[in-house]
Amino acid sequence: MTDSVTSTGVKRPELIGLGALVGAGALLTAVGTRLLTGPIAIVALTLVLASVVLLIVVAVSGTPESRRKIAPYGLLKPGMLWLALFYLAPLFTLLRLSLSTLPSRFAVEAEFDWNFDNYLDAFTDFGPQFERAFTYAAIATILTIVIGYPLAYVIAFRGGKYRSLLLGLVIIPFFTSFLIRTIAWRSILSDQGAVLSFVDGIGARWLLEVVGIMDSGRFMNTPAAVVFGLTYNFLPFMVLPIYVSLEKIDISLVDAAKDLYSTSTSAFAKIVIPLSIPGIFAGTLLTFIPAAGDFINAAYLGSPNTTMIGNSIQDQFLNQNNIPLASAMSFVLMFIITVFVLIYSKFFGTEELA
Amino acid sequence: MTTPRPNPSRFPGGRSAMSRRQLLARAGALGAAGVSLPALLAACGSDGGSESSGSTPGTSGGTTPGTSGGGGDMELFFENWPAYIDPTEDGATGTVDRFIEATGIDMRYTEAFNDNSEYFAKIQPVLGRGETIDPDIFAPTSWMVGRLITLGWLDKLPIDQVPNAANLRPDLQKPAWDPTGEYSLPWQTGFAGLCYNIDVTGREITTVDDLFDPEFAGKVGANYEMRDTIGLIMLSMGIDTSTLTTFEEAAPAFDRLQEAKDSGQIRRFHGNDYFDDLTNGNLAITIGWSGDIAALARDNPSVRFTFPETGAMSWADSMIMPKGAVNRDAAAKWMDFVYDPVQAAQITAWVGYVSPVAGVQEEVEKLDPELAGDPLIFPDDATLANTSTFALLPEDVEAQYDAAFSAISGA
């Protein structure tokens, strides 16, 4: 295969593949964001369809060489188109909205006018809510590691034939709506509920007050309750990835370390933990990101002084009808989370995930 | 989300154990707490989401052929709150089916209206573009009715074809939210006042000032419904809620609420989900609705409702027609039907809210004398006279109120 032309006369099939992929994705995004509307949108959609057909034609009629070059783009195409329509288009719409102004409070269309004030408002008016969201999410994430790691460890290494059963028990709460489970905690942890009665019974109330878990004689509707709710609701998302990474560890490595006079502790620290870092990393992402945007726990277990940014965004969307501001707040949230994740992955390194 | 149907047969007179709002709380559809966001997002870009999923088994019409009346092939679509009408069950024919029988109109009745703000978000892109939504009638709460009237998204009701509209309770005629009375007819009404658990408070509660009593610090709730919470506080400070035109008039009440929030006096803001907190002692006292307590105090007599001495707030969920609704004649027939005290009594006996129809008490007396004597469902004239409505605010002023309130409630 020198530069001999393929049977259809195509010289660089991979360029056709790439062009068809990117072009179709861009067109679909444009239609999805309603940049293109009416007859032009129909033309654009026809072009998207044509690009799919073109890709197939070039791939089928080409030489094995060109087919091999074009295959990756063909395989990427369904995913790309899906992302363009259901991820990129909404994201761009949100971005556009966040820079728009509503002509009147209940206007249907916001006017796009590079209104950066929305971002200014998002930062200045909702500082405490952002702060709480990240503080609570960070504490909850750490707690899920502290609770989840030993749990995953026991299931992976000591579970034996009960492994599946134990894992099932971790997942079983998912069978009930997490809303219902969160609401249930309100009764269980109520001022006159079973838990606080027990705490009183063993005379431990003062201890909880001292460490700040209880506030003015109650547990419900305190910051601790919100963090507790987040920890409870996201625990399985931490346990499962850690379990998967622990389960892959060859236990004979630990035996080998001990043969070389390592203590159990240092074998654990030097072998098990490093090998399970990918699990902790994945679990942290699965826990921290949704926890930072969560609004259910703060709404049901919190007080007016513990609302998180998710509650504020929801309120701006639904009750204040300030969709541009809500969009800007969503973007700020996304931005901060992205920065956190980048910094975090710098330390733990995604290459470890392999 | 499945909404459990209450079983009225367990109670004398066929009354439900659960009121509409409480049912919502049970189903977790807590509008104010905002679990409705996914529903909102799902509805974005739809044609108004009016292909509702909440049709009521047993009441959704369309199958019973007309037996009398001149309905011909008329149609009607009413979208209402869940558990807000007597269904056909246990041998009793529900109001919708009685209506279909009487008129032959092919009526569709759904229960997809869960939350004012959420529903507004669904219909806003449609009505705002001058298109119409599928339901001919829906029944938002008074303030939302006022907003829709102001936005010009409603048609006037065919009141001249509704002779029974004369039965409308006098205190509800030309209300603040519908100053001409041409756009809305109340479906059911109620009052916001103080709800308390006497086991926790240890004494009767009579005034709004008790909300701010340091004795109850950390055990006081407030309602996410801005007009109910701020309205009650304003009444207690001697501010007239029915004539508000600016934010400044209400500012002292907002300040008072802010202070209570900052000091930790207020434990939480809630929507429909306050009853559990009252029964399990998390809340000693809060702002809630008469209808809830009327139904639920039967199970738990410690939980009580009181009309504050300084006055209670009055609200109504009112039937309105979106601009461009087609089935006007059928809608007029329906409104006339449910404003007949005999029919309205059947609804009241099941839902347990305050009926907007005069003469219902006499009819309920025949069905359930105990219910007819319930002061929360049939308050006396003196109590009624001591209730207030919340003024219809101009758009920008309403935005100020909403922003100030959400800053306090923490969102």
Side-chain angles (χ1 to χ4, degrees), chain A residues 104-109 129 186 190-191 218 220-221 295 300 303-305 307 312 314-315 318-321, chain B residues 30 34-36 40 117 120 124 128-129 147 218-219 261 267-268 273 282 395 398-399 402-403 406 410-411:
Chain A
S104 67
R105 189 179 179 202
F106 303 119
V108 180
E109 295 284 357
Q129 282 89 345
R186 290 213 314 224
S190 68
D191 294 10
R218 64 179 203 235
M220 278 308 304
N221 312 105
F295 60 97
Y300 287 104
S303 77
N305 296 318
T307 46
S312 305
Q314 193 255 348
D315 178 64
L318 263 190
N319 298 324
Q320 313 299 323
N321 294 77
Chain B
L30 311 169
V35 294
S36 46
L40 161 70
S117 296
F120 181 80
Q124 183 190 17
R129 288 201 173 87
R147 180 190 285 181
K219 295 231 174 228
K261 177 242 183 174
R267 180 177 183 133
R268 64 181 290 250
D273 55 328
N282 284 350
E395 192 174 300
E398 189 191 26
D402 285 345
S406 96

Side-chain angles (χ1 to χ4, degrees), chain A residues 139-155:
Chain A
I139 301 175
T141 307
I142 293 166
L143 285 177
T144 53
I145 297 176
V146 171
I147 301 169
Y149 198 97
L151 182 58
Y153 186 90
V154 168
I155 297 176

Side-chain angles (χ1 to χ4, degrees), chain A residues 151-322:
Chain A
L151 182 58
Y153 186 90
V154 168
I155 297 176
F157 294 130
R158 301 276 183 272
K161 60 177 176 177
Y162 296 113
R163 263 190 194 182
S164 314
L165 177 72
L166 292 170
L167 263 192
L169 289 177
V170 173
I171 302 166
I172 261 183
F174 278 98
F175 286 50
T176 312
S177 157
F178 88 111
L179 211 56
I180 305 289
R181 285 182 281 125
T182 308
I183 293 171
W185 280 115
R186 290 213 314 224
S187 295
I188 300 169
L189 298 170
S190 68
D191 294 10
Q192 297 167 359
V195 174
L196 286 199
S197 305
F198 175 75
V199 167
D200 276 342
I202 60 171
R205 184 176 282 248
W206 65 272
L207 187 68
L208 295 181
E209 299 252 1
V210 167
V211 296
I213 288 178
M214 282 186 59
D215 182 21
S216 49
R218 64 179 203 235
F219 179 73
M220 278 308 304
N221 312 105
T222 61
V226 179
V227 172
F228 166 83
L230 290 169
T231 309
Y232 164 76
N233 276 315
F234 288 104
L235 185 61
F237 293 100
M238 184 62 81
V239 173
L240 294 179
I242 293 181
Y243 169 81
V244 169
S245 66
L246 284 176
E247 202 246 343
K248 282 194 299 194
I249 295 176
D250 185 352
I251 200 71
S252 55
L253 288 174
V254 178
D255 294 337
K258 285 181 181 167
D259 283 349
L260 298 168
Y261 301 101
S262 160
T263 62
S264 297
T265 320
S266 69
F268 175 74
K270 290 190 171 158
I271 295 168
V272 178
I273 287 195
L275 285 175
S276 61
I277 278 201
I280 300 177
F281 183 80
T284 306
L285 295 188
L286 286 176
T287 304
F288 180 78
I289 296 174
D294 184 84
F295 60 97
I296 297 294
N297 287 289
Y300 287 104
L301 307 176
S303 77
N305 296 318
T306 65
T307 46
M308 295 164 68
I309 193 63
N311 305 79
S312 305
I313 293 175
Q314 193 255 348
D315 178 64
Q316 290 298 328
F317 256 118
L318 263 190
N319 298 324
Q320 313 299 323
N321 294 77
N322 198 339

Side-chain angles (χ1 to χ4, degrees), chain B residues 42-65:
Chain B
C44 282
S46 83
D47 65 346
S50 34
E51 277 304 311
S52 49
S53 53
S55 73
T56 326
T59 60
S60 56
T63 48
T64 318

